[in-house]
């Protein structure tokens, strides 16, 4: 599939996905779809929101991007499950590996005969900087 460029040319979906994943990876915090749109304009490779949302959907399916639902934002995904700790004051996000929880969640799913694909865990609270 190709999408139109402002000059009438076409951009391949692989190129769109590469631009989007690069923006997500380079961000120092979770990034929203509209922030991605704004960054594509700043970089001189403008996209419309529907292009970004379609790309995000493909990247999530490919396990390259993870959605932080409570922030309506995206972060790079990796192979292990993570717990995203979100500060309710400043919005800072700290992602930590949840090895112990992975086993507990796996056991719960096994007892329920539920085949999990992935787990996205979020917890709101106050970060050490805001608590001080």
């Amino acid at each position: 599939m190709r999408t139109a460029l402002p000059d009438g040319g076409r951009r391949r979906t692989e190129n769109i996905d590469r631009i989007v994943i690069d923006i997500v990876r380079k961000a120092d915090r979770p990034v929203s779809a509209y922030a991605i749109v704004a960054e594509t304009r700043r970089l001189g490779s403008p996209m419309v929101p529907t292009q970004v949302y379609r790309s995000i959907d493909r990247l999530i399916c490919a396990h390259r991007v993870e959605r932080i639902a409570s922030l309506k934002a995206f972060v790079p995904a990796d192979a292990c499950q993570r717990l995203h700790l979100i500060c309710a004051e400043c919005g800072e996000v700290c992602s930590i590996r949840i090895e112990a929880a992975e086993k507990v969640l796996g056991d719960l799913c096994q007892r329920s005969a539920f085949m999990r694909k992935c787990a996205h865990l979020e917890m709101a609270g106050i970060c050490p900087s805001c608590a001080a």
Side-chain angles (χ1 to χ4, degrees):
M1 175 195 275
R2 295 172 181 237
T3 19
L5 292 173
D7 63 1
R10 296 283 186 182
R11 189 178 350 206
R12 299 185 62 77
T13 55
E14 303 85 41
N15 294 338
I16 293 170
D17 292 353
R18 182 185 46 76
I19 293 167
V20 170
I21 192 68
D22 285 347
I23 291 170
V24 172
R25 283 184 181 146
K26 290 176 182 172
D28 61 350
R29 62 186 325 134
V31 61
S32 71
Y34 283 94
I36 294 170
V37 169
E39 184 65 6
T40 64
R41 289 186 183 128
R42 191 189 71 74
L43 294 171
S45 189
M47 291 183 204
V48 295
T50 54
Q51 286 176 300
V52 170
Y53 279 113
R54 286 180 186 140
S55 176
I56 289 290
D57 286 344
R58 287 189 298 271
L59 293 167
I60 287 172
C61 287
H63 305 289
R64 296 178 66 197
V65 167
E66 187 174 346
R67 181 173 190 261
I68 298 183
S70 61
L71 298 178
K72 298 179 184 162
F74 306 92
V75 294
D78 61 21
C80 63
Q81 303 295 319
R82 300 225 173 247
L83 168 63
H84 302 289
L85 304 172
I86 304 162
C87 180
E89 296 290 322
C90 69
E92 186 69 30
V93 176
C94 175
S95 298
I96 57 174
R97 187 164 180 185
I98 50 171
E99 294 166 350
E102 286 181 60
K103 173 145 179 40
V104 171
L105 292 172
D107 291 346
L108 288 171
C109 289
Q110 188 174 13
R111 280 187 275 171
S112 302
F114 183 79
M115 294 183 64
R116 76 176 171 157
K117 291 175 87 176
C118 61
H120 302 280
L121 303 173
E122 302 175 22
M123 186 178 296
I126 306 295
C127 73
S129 297
C130 292

